[in-house]
Amino acid sequence: MSNARTARFSRRGILAAGGALGLGALVTACGSEDSKDGGSESKAAAKSGPWSFKDDRGKTVQLDKVPANIVAFTGVAAALHDYGVSVKGVFGPTKTQDGKPDVQAGDMDISKVTILGNAWDQFSIEKYAALAPDVLISTMFDDAGTLWYVPEDSKDKIAKLAPSVGISVYDRQLTAPLERMWELAESLGGDMKATKVTDAKKRFEEASERLRKAAKAHPDIKVMAGSASQELFYVSGTNLSVDLEYFKALGVNFIEPPAKAKAQGGGWFESLSWENVDKYAADIIMMDDRSSAIQPANITEATWKKLPAVKAGQVISRSAEPILSYDKCVPLVENLAKAIETAKKVS
């Protein structure tokens, strides 16, 4: 992150590493408001049938037919892709500077979707309108209904073009949004009985049990979740992030910055200078794999290289914004389980 970018993010109260990169824009939903904990109101038995879905804001979107022109945040589109649901347009990190798919694009063929914006605050309303969208879908990293990566400045214009659906990834365990994305994909006509889909769910359950056993067998292994920028190193707390909350519930021994230290990060993370990167002693370090973060192989700080976990080769990747399909979440759980099973006590 450049200094300018870091400063701009701070002014807007944007979250850095650990759970999210920032607070997007609150898009007013089209449709009726209902209770908070809803689900799909109908199944997509036929593409021509009526469709309704109650999202995690308590908003119900009702359409005459199942949406055909879907626009979604890249990570959401990647999850829907795994369930056989295609989107027409995406917004958010989709391709890297060399034109390759961003990690958040999953298995999508990004050449077949219209990219409305590839970075924070980028969203082409002209391209969006040209797609004649039926619905916009994104995740939410707060309890205010803020749709991730929908720009604050243009949220009202965007909201007028199509109704929106929000899936919460805030202050809950990973299994909750996974179940909600499953329900959404099913309502949109996804093949939830496909062997690949059912096998992935089973593998996720098996991986979770493996992690539970690994954590129980190695309670002394301390895990730290981090993210790197040029100026700062961020240590994430376990609260608020869906993956860390889930892993903690399975028994993983996480380093937890005190609440006061996380205050400037909105409760998500503590910011450390590179000189103080050794503040916490960890046996395993999970590092943010998003393209917005500096990856471990590219960290040149001497203080980083001296960390016991780094010297022991006990650094693994972490998807701070998991693609919410069981297929994509399996390796996240398996990698942590394997790391704990094989880790040396170095802290």
Side-chain angles (χ1 to χ4, degrees), residues 42-53 61-72 80 84-88 131-137 162-165 183-190:
S42 64
K43 305 300 181 184
K47 286 289 183 180
S48 60
W51 181 82
S52 67
F53 188 85
V61 177
Q62 296 179 321
L63 300 173
D64 293 336
K65 61 180 181 179
V66 176
N69 295 341
I70 301 170
V71 173
L80 293 176
V85 178
S86 299
V87 306
K88 294 294 181 67
L131 291 174
D134 293 320
V135 67
L136 179 148
I137 308 172
S164 62
V165 168
E183 294 169 1
L184 177 59
E186 186 175 32
S187 78
L188 292 169

Side-chain angles (χ1 to χ4, degrees), residues 143 180 187:
D143 57 4
R180 293 293 284 140
S187 78

Side-chain angles (χ1 to χ4, degrees), residues 5 8 91-94 115-123 149 151:
R5 186 181 180 195
R8 177 170 62 87
F91 55 95
T94 306
I115 300 175
L116 307 180
N118 196 58
W120 187 258
D121 266 348
Q122 291 182 2
F123 192 111
Y149 267 80

Side-chain angles (χ1 to χ4, degrees), residues 209-232:
E209 183 57 29
R210 176 184 174 183
L211 179 55
R212 187 192 303 276
K213 291 180 178 178
K216 185 176 181 179
H218 305 279
D220 60 329
I221 296 298
K222 297 180 182 179
V223 180
M224 179 170 68
S227 185
S229 72
Q230 289 182 344
E231 297 83 15
L232 298 169

Side-chain angles (χ1 to χ4, degrees), residues 274-308:
W274 283 103
E275 289 77 11
N276 296 316
V277 73
D278 60 352
K279 179 177 180 178
Y280 299 107
D283 301 298
I284 296 171
I285 302 176
M286 302 173 67
M287 290 295 290
D288 188 346
D289 69 356
R290 292 172 296 182
S291 55
S292 56
I294 299 176
Q295 298 307 299
N298 298 320
I299 298 176
T300 59
E301 301 289 343
T303 49
W304 163 260
K305 295 179 180 180
K306 291 179 180 179
L307 293 178

Side-chain angles (χ1 to χ4, degrees), residues 19 22 86 126 133 141 172 243 343:
S86 299
E126 292 76 15
F141 281 91
R172 61 200 61 200
D243 60 329

